[in-house]
Every structure is written in C-alpha cells, then in structure tokens.
Amino acid sequence: MLNQKSNFYKRVKETIIEWFEEHGRDFPWRYDDDPFHVLVAEMLLRRTTAAAVMRVYPSLLKVAGTPEALMNLSRRKVESLITPLGLQSVRAKHLQRTAAILVERYNGSVKSASSNLENLPGVGRYTACAVRNFAFSIPEPLIDGNIVFFLNRLFGTDFDGAEDEGAWQFADNVAGPDHDQRFYWGVIDFVSAICLHKQPHCKQCPLRENCSFFSERGIR
Ligand code: SF4
C-alpha cells in the first residue's frame, strides 16, 4: 500500500516535470542565480500573477538590482515602478525595508537560513521556502493557495489552504526528497494553463486517469 502510494506520487511528479519541460513558462527569475533577484521576484509574486510581475520586474531590476540600489531609491520611485501590481504602497515598503536589513545586517547578501528569511518584512513561509529552493537549491516543500488547490483536486484531499500543516507534509511526500524546482514551477504553470479554477481542460490533462476530481465529474 505504501509502495503503491509512493509510486503514484512519483508518477505524478514525473508527469508534471515532463509537462513543464515542454510547456513551462520561461520567466527570468527562474533562471537567475542571484538570491536577491529571486527574493524580489518572489515578494512581487505574492497576491498577483506571474504575467503581471513580468510587466514590472525587468524595469525594477534595472534600477534596483542590488539591495543597496533598492534601498536608496525614493519610495515614490519604487511605488511607481510596481504600480501595475496593485498594493504598491505596502509592497514598496516591504521591499525597501528588506533591502535595508540585508545591507545593514548581512552586508548586502541574502542568507539562506529560514530564520533569516522569514524575519524579513513581507516574507512569509512560502516566500522563504521558495527562495531557499529556487535560489539556493535547498530541497524544501512549497505550498501556496494554487498548489493546495491542485493537490486537493488531483488527490481528493481537503487541505484548508496554505496554512494547513498537512498540506506541507503532503507536498513533502509527493515532491520529495529532492523537491525538484521544475515540479513546483510545473504545478504553478499547470494551474494557470490546464487545471484552471473555473473550467479545467481535463481532456488535455496528462493526469486525468489518476485525478480524483476527473473521476468524480467525468469528461467535460
Ligand atoms: S484531470 Fe482536470 S481537474 Fe484533474 S488535474 Fe487534470 S485538469 Fe485538473
């Protein structure tokens, strides 16, 4: 039974990674090895879409590619650069306070320890884990609203959002032990392209034979 389960998890993980290799999106922060750039991207990505972040990220990095540069910009300038994302006032405050802490406490570098990351303004558990995984290649499970949504649909679980500790444990089982970045990027892109919240494209889905939602509802 345990073996069956882990084989199933393995198959799901491999399928998502294969799908990602063929259809995944190519955002610049996914292939940037500067932890500060990854941190900025992950902070911007909270409560908005990757497509929206793409509209502001290159111009923000052009003038604020280091913690020093970001810290020294005027608040108004940062807000104007990220206005298309909304919540620009609180986002700008968090970005600049984070930049100042990195400069003042850590000599302008991003530290990989969870405790360092989670204490930065506007950086919660997901963002800290994303930076550890994506920028430092530290195997970490990742759970946000979309990943929970996908797990619940596919596996028929009923995790109660990104705060549900059970969801983190479940992701650890499905995606571990290496927590391949491509799996998480794949799920993020898959929910945006195939497993849509309102009308999932189940007919095109390579996971439909194993999907709890699909088997309950049939082909749409
Ligand atoms: S079969 Fe449909 S609901 Fe299930 S994972 Fe695929 S797209 Fe999502």
Side-chain angles (χ1 to χ4, degrees), residues 16 149-150 153-155 190-191 193-196 199-215 217-218 220:
I16 287 289
F149 164 79
F150 172 73
R153 256 197 183 164
L154 178 63
F155 294 100
F190 197 75
V191 170
I194 303 288
C195 195
L196 305 176
Q199 287 193 307
H201 300 311
C202 298
K203 285 184 189 168
Q204 303 166 29
C205 178
L207 292 166
R208 64 185 179 278
E209 301 305 327
N210 301 111
C211 176
S212 175
F213 182 88
F214 181 77
S215 68
R217 310 253 175 129
R220 278 152 296 277

Side-chain angles (χ1 to χ4, degrees), residues 7-186:
N7 286 341
F8 177 35
Y9 295 164
K10 191 163 172 264
R11 220 165 43 243
V12 167
K13 181 176 167 182
E14 286 170 357
T15 304
I16 287 289
I17 289 174
E18 268 169 35
W19 182 89
F20 176 76
E21 292 286 358
E22 202 175 333
H23 306 284
R25 295 173 293 181
D26 232 3
F27 297 117
W29 53 85
R30 290 182 172 174
Y31 304 99
D32 189 328
D33 57 7
D34 183 327
F36 178 66
H37 296 172
V38 177
L39 173 61
V40 168
E42 291 300 332
M43 289 177 76
L44 295 176
L45 282 162
R46 304 318 298 151
R47 303 178 72 179
T48 190
T49 63
V53 172
M54 254 323 275
R55 291 200 286 276
V56 307
Y57 181 76
S59 40
L60 179 64
L61 276 205
K62 205 176 277 179
V63 293
T66 64
E68 292 86 346
L70 177 55
M71 181 182 81
N72 289 326
L73 286 179
S74 71
R75 181 63 52 85
R76 187 174 295 184
K77 174 73 177 170
V78 179
E79 285 180 10
S80 77
L81 284 165
I82 61 175
T83 291
L85 302 182
L87 302 170
Q88 61 271 22
S89 163
V90 66
R91 285 183 196 276
K93 187 168 77 181
H94 286 158
L95 283 167
Q96 288 198 290
R97 283 196 181 161
T98 286
I101 290 171
L102 296 180
V103 170
E104 285 155 18
R105 293 193 202 155
Y106 308 122
N107 204 21
S109 65
V110 177
K111 300 293 176 198
S112 64
S114 303
S115 53
N116 290 87
L117 287 164
E118 286 189 32
N119 281 329
L120 296 170
V123 175
R125 183 177 183 183
Y126 174 87
T127 302
C129 288
V131 171
R132 280 164 59 76
N133 192 330
F134 300 153
F136 293 101
S137 298
I138 297 169
E140 288 275 11
L142 282 180
I143 282 293
D144 71 357
N146 278 329
I147 297 172
V148 172
F149 164 79
F150 172 73
L151 295 178
N152 281 343
R153 256 197 183 164
L154 178 63
F155 294 100
T157 47
D158 62 349
F159 297 121
D160 187 19
E163 306 304 318
D164 190 329
E165 197 52 44
W168 288 83
Q169 186 57 54
F170 196 80
D172 201 23
N173 292 334
V174 175
D178 62 346
H179 292 285
D180 194 316
Q181 301 162 347
R182 295 169 301 168
F183 172 74
Y184 293 105
W185 291 333

